[in-house]
Amino acid sequence: MKVSFIGLGVMGYPMAGHLVQAGFEVFVFNRTTEKAVRWSNEFGGRHCVTIAECVQDADVVAVCVGNDDDVRQMTTADSGAISHMKSGAILVDHTTTSAELAEELSKAAQARGIGFMDAPVSGGQAGAENGGLTIMCGGDEATFEQLQPVFAAYGKSSVLMGAVGQGQRAKMVNQICIAGVLTGLSEGLLLAQKSGLNIPALVDCLKNGAAGSWQMENRANTMAQDKFDFGFAIDWMIKDLGFCIDEASRQGLQLPLTEQSLERYKQLSQQGESRSDTSVLLKAIRADADK
Amino acid sequence: MKVSFIGLGVMGYPMAGHLVQAGFEVFVFNRTTEKAVRWSNEFGGRHCVTIAECVQDADVVAVCVGNDDDVRQMTTADSGAISHMKSGAILVDHTTTSAELAEELSKAAQARGIGFMDAPVSGGQAGAENGGLTIMCGGDEATFEQLQPVFAAYGKSSVLMGAVGQGQRAKMVNQICIAGVLTGLSEGLLLAQKSGLNIPALVDCLKNGAAGSWQMENRANTMAQDKFDFGFAIDWMIKDLGFCIDEASRQGLQLPLTEQSLERYKQLSQQGESRSDTSVLLKAIRADADK
């Protein structure tokens, strides 16, 4: 089975590597060719200089790039994957995108007899590296079943959330929940620090109870040290929360905390925090709290 | 060792029972005597009709009642515990109160040669019943050590957070974090429901990742069913978040999400939800989201 992978960023690079290790014939394409060469030297798969060459005869083409337009450039553009894939193949998009893009790609693929699944992931760089990603899928069951061997190479679990677009909407819910957890955790930590509480002892005490969260367990101590130079960069979170607001608005919903979090991340990005972990939200909340 | 327990509510009733089962000589007092009689019949400890009778000669007097004034009535009032306890005994308050009350009680106790520890708990009714409470303590180390056998009867862990009042402040951080988690989870669930996502599948997919929380794992599915007739009643949460706002304000901090959550809980309480679980916050957020 031949699998092509487009986009060798911090996520795609190790994901494509896992495909080689799982025994697939793997072809890769990356806009910056140097990275594709490095990947090829590391994993032994084949790097291609055009998308057409990369996806030709592939059974599955996986994409993991930046934003909606990046995905379009790799898939629906004239030089993109869809016009060069064989009929009966499957296009799977691991990029976090709008739900509308998923629907757009699905239609374009269908018109050429190609299957499609939106399949954004969570688990971050660490999950991509250790094959522990969670994959949220939108599409039909037959496509989902066909993709299981591929997903198993880099995912610890994959869940079919519903029709095309539902994988993206599940990912949006994930990001909204993170924004809420971090807002509460930030306000709590501010009071804890002003009170002189021992933060590691506090976290140990609270983390398994009703206030507990992944963010408390994995970020509260670094937040208390003002350490944010790692993790999930807020520029990606800004993109993702933008999708959340757009999708909610399309469905007639207002999500005030999500909107406020998006604004705070935009301010932080302008203040030079664009590569900081999402837990840097603490800084914006602290600036408001001390007013 | 004689331990007296004042306040046989949903928390105190089983907590005092665990003390009997742990082998302590236990005396109890409750404002409604019927409950004390029932407790005595169930566990075999002795019920008293006055606080004086209850606390006389006790080595430890534990209190678990409603609000700050209830605690004062049981402790610093003329008929309260402090004026009838023996010198060298310890007063421990398991009620969630203001940090100022903890300081006030500590001083009143000290003036009579009595030790004091603020020791609010988390884990709810289930934790009280199965001896699985987490106990957040404020006071000195010697007192904390002396109380270990008592805490072990109903707590799975007790942590000394610092001086008197720090147990209460740790509990405040806990409640603030819960408010944040529930706000994000509510906004996320609203989008999920409007999108027609399968909520149990979504929860399974997200709960162990970066968006995961105790509330997501234990409340998201009941929230999606609009089931709120269980759990931690919002009237208690209103009391607790009030302490958070007061304490933050005393320290020159504004906590906007905590304030907003308090307002939302007050509205919900007026709308007949006073006994509903804190996850009922979803209803207030839904009302705003659909505007």
Side-chain angles (χ1 to χ4, degrees), chain B residues 151-175:
Chain B
F151 290 164
Y154 40 70
K156 70 165 187 249
S157 80
S158 57
V159 184
L160 183 60
M161 297 306 312
V164 166
Q166 296 291 58
Q168 296 297 349
R169 293 189 190 93
K171 180 70 188 278
M172 292 176 204
V173 175
N174 191 74
Q175 306 304 66

Side-chain angles (χ1 to χ4, degrees), chain A residues 166 187 195 254 257-258 289, chain B residues 166 187 194-195 254 257-258 289:
Chain A
Q166 296 292 59
E187 291 197 357
S195 300
Q254 285 177 49
L257 183 65
T258 306
Chain B
Q166 296 291 58
E187 291 197 359
K194 277 263 190 185
S195 301
Q254 285 178 48
L257 184 65
T258 306

Side-chain angles (χ1 to χ4, degrees), chain B residues 71-72 75-76 82 91 93 97 100-110 116:
Chain B
V71 177
R72 286 192 185 95
T75 57
T76 53
I82 290 177
L91 175 67
D93 186 14
T97 73
E100 287 130 305
L101 179 68
E103 285 152 12
E104 179 187 322
L105 297 182
S106 174
K107 274 181 203 136
Q110 201 174 16
F116 175 77

